[in-house]
Amino acid sequence: MAISHQPVMVDEVIQYLITIPEGIYVDGTVGTGGHSLEICKRIAPKGELICLDIDRSSIRLAKERLSVFGDRIKIIKESYVALDGVLKRIGIDKVNGILLDLGVSSYQLESSGRGFSFIKDEPLDMRMDEDRGETASELVNTISMEGLQEFLWIYAQERWAKLIARAIVEERRKGPITSSRQLALLIETTIPVKYRPRKRHPATKTFQALRIAVNKELQNVADFLEKCPSLLVKGGRVVVISYHSLEDRLVKQAFHQRKKENISPRKLPIFPITSPPLMKALIRKGLRPHHMEVTVNPRARSAIMRVAERTYNE
Ligand code: SAH
């Protein structure tokens, strides 16, 4: 199968992530292996790469694509939140660099058949890890109207959250909502014609919020950031590319070791970062992709990259 996913900000990732070519690195979200392929080339012949992803079919594609690197690369189906356990299992104490490229891959959107996209008619699943958790369909068919409204607003700032939540609850009284097309059409017809966004599909935000909720994306980022410093050698780096302002806020908060922001928990799911300041941000402001990259790779449009370095030994 041709791989459609173009890795985002590859040159910047390589520049900041790789400090020594003979080091041990982690790609926590290997996807179909775009970043990993470039990392492997740069750390040949002595460096090692450990790749994780929770998406079974992405793992399979990455394995095919990266097999040329032999045993210098390990590809494991596991969450990046469990990286500490993975390293322990394979006898590694600390690594030289960790990359997280968050969000959803083009492969998942276009070819996974799991309802990530409102353009297709597929079962409304949206789980990146098909082996566990509640599907998007189970979620929209069981959650309370208030709960639905709240996460549409929190995760996607959907201004029609209340209207959409009410429409979903009414629709599911007639029968369960099971497909991406059914949900997309429902939202399209719910938002008043004159307010429908022109540049994007009216269901964009709902789909984004659902995906974030189903995969517990923000909680995972927060949990990883807590553990991350203790997994890096002194001088080791962590590079995170986010595609959502709340994700980026968590990363920024951890890398700049700010005090917990004083924002009402109803408005923002900010998770307190309690680990001691073992990392310092290497770049003050988040990096954005070059405009040339955005024109050829639309997924890069909302990307923001941050980098931190482990400062001292415990
Ligand atoms: N950098 C990759 C694309 C990554 S897209 C490339 O160049 O091909 C984001 C990936 O993160 C998806 O494949 C998704 O399945 C994975 N992912 C999401 N949550 C995860 C988690 N908790 N642990 C590991 N991988 C995760």
Side-chain angles (χ1 to χ4, degrees):
M1 192 188 105
I3 287 169
S4 57
H5 186 96
Q6 291 300 315
V8 170
M9 301 177 82
V10 179
D11 294 341
E12 294 88 336
V13 166
I14 299 292
Q15 181 196 339
Y16 283 103
L17 183 71
I18 301 174
T19 44
I20 47 166
E22 59 279 15
I24 304 177
Y25 294 88
V26 173
D27 182 348
T29 53
V30 66
T32 47
H35 286 107
S36 280
L37 183 70
E38 296 307 316
I39 296 169
C40 272
K41 286 186 201 158
R42 300 313 197 285
I43 60 173
K46 287 201 186 138
E48 284 177 45
L49 181 65
I50 298 148
C51 301
L52 307 179
D53 205 292
I54 46 175
D55 186 325
R56 237 191 286 135
S57 21
S58 299
I59 286 275
R60 191 171 33 79
L61 292 167
K63 279 190 174 160
E64 274 168 31
R65 192 175 187 194
L66 302 167
S67 61
V68 286
F69 296 102
D71 57 11
R72 286 199 306 111
I73 182 163
K74 287 192 178 57
I75 306 177
I76 303 168
K77 181 183 174 288
E78 188 57 88
S79 168
Y80 59 71
V81 180
L83 176 60
D84 49 349
V86 171
L87 294 181
K88 214 171 263 163
R89 265 199 322 269
I90 56 180
I92 293 173
D93 183 30
K94 289 178 171 28
V95 297
N96 299 88
I98 307 173
L99 166 68
L100 286 194
D101 176 26
L102 301 169
V104 60
S105 72
S106 310
Y107 161 72
Q108 288 168 324
L109 277 172
E110 290 156 21
S111 324
S112 71
R114 273 175 263 156
F116 286 106
S117 164
F118 40 75
I119 299 167
K120 304 199 158 200
D121 194 15
E122 296 170 343
L124 194 61
D125 183 325
M126 289 202 195
R127 285 171 308 161
M128 289 175 173
D129 186 345
E130 290 172 272
D131 300 323
R132 65 180 93 169
E134 195 179 38
T135 66
S137 170
E138 284 163 346
L139 184 71
V140 290
N141 288 312
T142 53
I143 191 175
S144 70
M145 189 157 82
E146 295 71 30
L148 199 51
Q149 183 185 339
E150 194 162 285
F151 81 68
L152 286 174
W153 175 247
I154 291 175
Y155 293 159
Q157 270 88 62
E158 171 58 72
R159 63 182 287 213
W160 301 104
K162 193 170 182 177
L163 209 60
I164 293 171
R166 199 186 305 139
I168 287 176
V169 170
E170 272 166 26
E171 177 81 2
R172 75 190 188 195
R173 283 203 192 107
K174 297 181 219 150
I177 299 169
T178 56
S179 86
S180 48
R181 175 74 46 81
Q182 185 188 1
L183 181 63
L185 271 175
L186 175 68
I187 295 162
E188 200 172 346
T189 49
T190 300
I191 299 179
V193 179
K194 68 173 181 173
Y195 293 110
R196 280 183 205 156
R198 275 188 217 115
K199 289 195 181 142
R200 54 175 170 79
H201 190 285
T204 308
K205 291 191 167 189
T206 302
F207 272 63
Q208 182 190 42
L210 261 179
R211 199 200 76 222
I212 292 173
V214 165
N215 296 292
K216 304 192 169 48
E217 293 180 26
L218 294 170
Q219 189 63 57
N220 285 342
V221 175
D223 290 349
F224 167 80
L225 290 168
E226 281 264 354
K227 294 180 178 180
C228 171
S230 63
L231 305 176
L232 290 168
V233 299
K234 180 171 180 268
R237 307 240 174 115
V238 53
V239 175
V240 183
I241 309 178
S242 313
Y243 299 84
H244 188 285
S245 58
L246 293 181
E247 258 166 19
D248 182 53
R249 189 175 290 205
L250 290 171
V251 179
K252 187 170 156 190
Q253 198 186 348
F255 288 5
H256 292 266
Q257 293 295 332
R258 294 246 193 94
K259 289 225 173 65
K260 194 178 154 193
E261 288 181 44
N262 192 17
I263 294 168
S264 147
R266 271 188 63 77
K267 290 207 188 105
L268 270 181
I270 286 292
F271 307 99
I273 308 290
T274 49
S275 53
L278 289 166
M279 291 195 298
K280 78 161 198 293
L282 270 195
I283 34 179
R284 201 173 56 82
K285 284 177 85 176
L287 281 186
R288 298 270 184 188
H290 192 276
H291 68 88
M292 293 289 280
E293 179 173 354
V294 178
T295 51
V296 293
N297 185 5
R299 184 172 177 268
R301 200 178 30 212
S302 51
I304 176 159
M305 184 177 127
R306 292 188 188 271
V307 186
E309 187 172 280
R310 171 78 196 249
T311 42
Y312 58 88
N313 289 320
E314 277 160 299

